[in-house]
Amino acid sequence: MALSPPVFREKRRKMVDRPLLIRGGRVIDPAQNIDEVLSLLITGDKISWLGKEDDKSLPGECDILKADGLIVSPGFIDLHCHLREPGFEDKETIITGTQAAANGGFTTICCMPNTNPPLDSRSAVKRVTAEADKNGLVRVLPIGCITQDRGGEKLSPMSELAKAGVIGFSDDGDCLMNTELMCQALRNARELGLIIIEHCEHAGLAKGGIINLGRLSLELGLTGIPAAAEEIMVARDIALARITGGRIHIAHASTAGTVDIIRRARAEGLPVTAEVTPHHLTLTEEKVRGYDTSAKVNPPLRTEEDIRALIEALKDDVIDAIATDHAPHTVGEKGLGFGEAPFGISGFETALGSLMSLVHGGQLTLDKLISKLTREPAGILGNKQEKTGSLETGFSADVVIFDPDKEWQVDPDTFASKGKNTPLAGARLKGKVMATISRGKIVYRNTALKIQASK
């Protein structure tokens, strides 16, 4: 089990003044087209050297972390998560959420604004960034609201939010149905050099829906959400990006039809990017059979056909990034009936293990998977904050070390996240994070991975 944040901080303080050498791991850095056994030196909060050790004399004193047989890559970047603070600290806090992210290999996470109060003012954004700076274990980048109070009626003070440090705008959880407002939001975001992150779901078509519309929804007697509810709004938002020049980012793409629409937009050269979640890549609607609320998520889990299309879209770079949509809830909330339980899966700590099933199954290469978790999301963010997404010299020392073959069983009771809501409880996964380093500091380390002092 992970050490609590205060204990980790004390240990990190003792180590931070000494360089850290990660020795002998298989370094995969898609941004530099590197895939070979190398060593990596971290000095302070930056990558100071990457290469073969006989190419450089080592510092007189350093800590050594042996990574033989392990993968060393840039820290993962999550464009879409929910930290719940402020307002819903019973579900998650910035402390517990960032520890869960660290346990999952994530060193940069972008938090959605559906908090209480929502992130629609400078003071609300600063409250999150101040808490993250004080107690967060990894980098937290806030996303501001598109509209005030996420109400869909009046635009938020977008310029003010940009100055406060948001990396984009979203009313996630709700789609902005007002086309005129969305058009203006895209223009404003373009002028600010930021993105609109859209939860594409037609409110009328999706109203009352709780699972994917299809054979299973009819069999279970549950109201379905049609694929068209997503696809119609994806098409609208891309059309608006075409006429405004604003950058639209499609959150949690889930259908084959969405892939086709994005593919055509990318071929046209429009400023459109997209993400997909681990659960939409690996789980189908069959997971809700038995009315399992841990698999109730929005957009809903879809079909095998949709999964195949999403994987092909990753391989073809039609979909740019993998994002968790980490959405923790209390045990009591998820214990309600299927119709009343909230949507959402707690995803930080199972992301790598579930995604590695695609690599082990030959559906995705390891290099491509790492790229979708590092290089591409860093490109979408534009490295406006710090240089991330690569192990290049001078970049922020954000590193994850993982064992691609380590088998483990998912036990939600061991999660650092307050959210234990996962449909993977009890599942055996293959692929485990062994250590996470954020800005040069070890924020998670499996006890099997030892640190030695140089002699």
Side-chain angles (χ1 to χ4, degrees), residues 202-335:
H202 191 283
L205 287 177
K207 186 176 181 179
I210 51 179
I211 68 170
N212 182 52
L213 178 65
R215 174 189 51 79
L216 189 63
S217 65
L218 294 174
E219 181 182 332
L220 299 181
L222 298 174
T223 304
I225 300 174
E230 176 174 304
E231 294 157 9
I232 286 171
M233 300 314 293
V234 170
R236 182 205 68 169
D237 289 339
I238 288 174
L240 296 181
R242 181 184 292 109
I243 64 175
T244 64
R247 292 171 57 207
I248 188 78
H249 178 77
I250 307 301
H252 42 53
S254 72
T255 78
T258 289
V259 168
D260 290 340
I261 297 165
I262 297 171
R263 190 183 299 275
R264 291 193 294 271
R266 297 295 290 266
E268 192 179 334
L270 295 176
V272 178
T273 54
E275 68 188 39
V276 62
T277 72
H279 45 272
H280 287 112
L281 288 168
T282 59
L283 303 175
T284 72
E285 61 184 355
E286 287 296 321
K287 268 291 179 180
V288 305
R289 190 178 291 280
Y291 304 93
D292 182 0
T293 61
S294 69
K296 182 182 177 183
V297 65
N298 192 21
L301 299 177
R302 304 287 189 180
T303 68
E304 289 283 2
E305 178 186 358
D306 294 308
I307 287 180
R308 286 193 295 270
L310 293 166
I311 292 172
E312 285 302 312
L314 282 176
K315 292 163 67 174
D316 297 342
D317 296 325
V318 170
I319 291 181
D320 306 83
I322 298 173
T324 67
D325 193 8
H326 173 74
H329 292 290
T330 66
V331 173
E333 288 172 315
K334 277 294 193 176

Side-chain angles (χ1 to χ4, degrees), residues 404-417:
D405 299 313
K406 184 174 180 62
E407 294 188 10
W408 59 288
Q409 188 169 25
V410 178
D411 179 1
D413 289 339
T414 67
F415 284 3
S417 173

Side-chain angles (χ1 to χ4, degrees), residues 19-158:
L20 176 64
L21 178 68
I22 302 172
R23 172 174 282 168
R26 178 186 168 191
V27 174
I28 300 180
D29 183 1
Q32 299 188 79
N33 198 28
I34 291 174
D35 184 351
E36 62 179 308
V37 175
L38 298 170
S39 292
L40 175 72
L41 185 66
I42 294 171
T43 306
D45 62 355
K46 296 289 190 294
I47 304 291
S48 56
W49 174 76
L50 174 66
K52 296 190 180 294
E53 288 187 35
D54 56 4
D55 293 340
K56 179 181 174 69
S57 59
L58 297 178
E61 290 187 358
C62 66
D63 292 299
I64 299 174
L65 203 161
K66 291 187 176 181
D68 302 71
L70 304 177
I71 305 298
V72 179
S73 87
F76 302 151
I77 298 171
D78 190 357
L79 295 174
H80 187 148
C81 72
H82 301 268
L83 295 181
R84 304 302 190 197
E85 187 177 357
F88 305 104
E89 287 84 355
D90 56 334
K91 299 171 184 278
E92 192 77 287
T93 65
I94 288 172
I95 292 177
T96 60
T98 57
Q99 181 68 78
N103 292 8
F106 294 92
T107 54
T108 297
I109 57 177
C110 303
C111 60
M112 283 294 174
N114 49 346
T115 50
N116 186 23
L119 305 188
D120 64 354
S121 68
R122 182 182 181 88
S123 61
V125 172
K126 287 299 185 183
R127 178 176 174 179
V128 168
T129 55
E131 176 63 18
D133 289 343
K134 180 181 178 181
N135 291 314
L137 293 179
V138 302
R139 185 182 295 101
V140 175
L141 304 179
I143 297 165
C145 297
I146 301 176
T147 63
Q148 292 183 19
D149 201 32
R150 296 177 51 253
E153 296 180 358
K154 185 177 180 180
L155 290 181
S156 67
M158 297 173 74

